[in-house]
Amino acid sequence: MRQILLITLVLLNYSTYSQSIMTALNFGKKNDFHSDKLVTETETKTTFYNSKSIEKMRYVSNYNNHNKVTIENRYDDNDNLKQRLTRIYDSTGVRSLARKLENWHPLLGHFFEISYHSYDSNGILNSIIEKDQSGSIIRHTNIINNEKGYPIELTIFVGNQMEGKETADYNYEKNEVTINYFNKKNELINSETAKIESTKNQPGDKVNKFGDVVKSAKYEMEIEYDKFGNWVKQIYSTLTNGLLVKKSESTRKIKYRK
């Protein structure tokens, strides 16, 4: 049992606390809605179709008067509460100062960690300090940004020891970033290329009137919208050897402010 608990802790720590260049690049940029109509709550139900199983999740999110998530409760397919995400913003209601992530686990019970966000003089994220429920620092992430405000180096420290590092090289014309991953010995272990702006369409993509990509070389999306132009149903499928394979289906109920 002790071994199972230790393994579970390691896995939870990795998934909960890990930061990355892509996280920093997209930090605070997520927009859940196309319209400016203010929202109080959404309920999203998603079914994931894996090769060997089907997984269902339910998310209930509350929003402030800038349509930024303040609290999100996450439930499993048996409607058991698994996680609660709480975000704290500055006086603008837009810039995140901290986020608390609570977990409910059958072996570990209820536990949480809090991340505190710091910014440079240009308002760009440059530091994340993560603490456990006793207030002890779990890890500290330093971020160096370029003149465009994009992260070019991210280093994670546990105590005074470097846990890992990432560097990024940008090709703005192609909307691509190449990320290099280094271990605690500063040895290069992997590299990958991703889109700088994930929502920006590529040549050959088919885009609908709302600006959403509905067909690309790798995937297709079926999207339904409400009268305000916000999605209420999405079906995501990948293209494999010319065949469409459904990967997920989501529905969303939106409550608007009166």
Side-chain angles (χ1 to χ4, degrees):
M1 177 63 72
R2 176 177 173 80
Q3 185 178 11
I4 293 174
L5 285 171
L6 288 173
I7 292 172
T8 305
L9 276 170
V10 169
L11 291 173
L12 285 169
N13 282 340
Y14 178 81
S15 62
T16 302
Y17 304 132
S18 61
Q19 302 295 339
S20 69
I21 287 282
M22 293 307 298
T23 299
L25 182 61
N26 294 293
F27 188 83
K29 297 179 181 179
K30 181 182 178 183
N31 187 358
D32 291 335
F33 311 102
H34 284 310
S35 75
D36 294 327
K37 179 75 172 175
L38 292 181
V39 173
T40 59
E41 182 183 283
T42 61
E43 180 186 33
T44 305
K45 295 181 179 179
T46 300
T47 301
F48 298 96
Y49 300 95
N50 303 313
S51 59
K52 296 182 180 179
S53 64
I54 295 177
E55 181 183 4
K56 296 183 179 181
M57 300 290 290
R58 184 169 72 93
Y59 309 85
V60 178
S61 305
N62 298 107
Y63 297 82
N64 64 12
N65 56 6
H66 294 276
N67 277 355
K68 293 291 186 179
V69 173
T70 55
I71 297 176
E72 182 175 270
N73 290 315
R74 302 166 180 174
Y75 302 86
D76 63 16
D77 53 359
N78 293 316
D79 217 30
N80 297 313
L81 179 63
K82 303 298 291 182
Q83 284 187 326
R84 176 180 292 129
L85 175 68
T86 305
R87 290 194 179 278
I88 299 172
Y89 299 89
D90 65 7
S91 59
T92 67
V94 175
R95 182 183 294 175
S96 174
L97 296 178
R99 71 108 173 94
K100 178 181 181 181
L101 185 63
E102 299 175 80
N103 290 275
W104 284 265
H105 191 273
L107 293 177
L108 303 176
H110 174 246
F111 61 97
F112 65 86
E113 54 90 8
I114 302 177
S115 293
Y116 298 90
H117 310 134
S118 299
Y119 301 82
D120 62 21
S121 58
N122 295 314
I124 307 300
L125 181 72
N126 67 357
S127 175
I128 302 171
I129 295 177
E130 299 164 78
K131 296 183 178 181
D132 62 20
Q133 56 194 18
S134 66
S136 299
I137 295 177
I138 301 165
R139 63 180 62 188
H140 182 192
T141 303
N142 287 332
I143 304 166
I144 299 174
N145 301 291
N146 64 15
E147 68 282 355
K148 291 181 177 291
Y150 293 157
I152 56 174
E153 182 175 298
L154 180 148
T155 309
I156 299 174
F157 295 92
V158 176
N160 295 321
Q161 302 296 317
M162 185 184 81
E163 183 72 10
K165 185 176 75 174
E166 298 179 19
T167 62
D169 298 308
Y170 294 90
N171 186 323
Y172 302 109
E173 291 184 0
K174 291 186 176 181
N175 188 36
E176 290 182 348
V177 54
T178 299
I179 303 172
N180 302 306
Y181 300 91
F182 299 83
N183 61 19
K184 62 178 64 178
K185 296 180 180 180
N186 207 28
E187 299 169 333
L188 179 66
I189 56 175
N190 193 23
S191 296
E192 68 173 346
T193 301
K195 294 171 70 173
I196 300 173
E197 296 182 35
S198 60
T199 57
K200 186 176 180 180
N201 58 294
Q202 300 291 96
D205 288 349
K206 182 180 179 181
V207 181
N208 65 16
K209 65 179 182 180
F210 297 100
D212 293 322
V213 177
V214 293
K215 187 175 182 179
S216 74
K218 296 181 179 180
Y219 69 88
E220 288 190 13
M221 291 282 290
E222 297 178 43
I223 311 175
E224 296 179 12
Y225 301 86
D226 65 11
K227 63 181 180 180
F228 298 108
N230 296 316
W231 75 266
V232 291
K233 185 176 181 179
Q234 292 182 340
I235 298 176
Y236 172 74
S237 303
T238 58
L239 280 166
T240 304
N241 298 323
L243 298 176
L244 275 178
V245 180
K246 184 161 72 171
K247 293 296 185 178
S248 67
E249 181 172 344
S250 299
T251 58
R252 182 170 70 167
K253 295 180 180 179
I254 305 174
K255 294 182 180 179
Y256 292 96
R257 293 182 187 269
K258 296 181 180 180

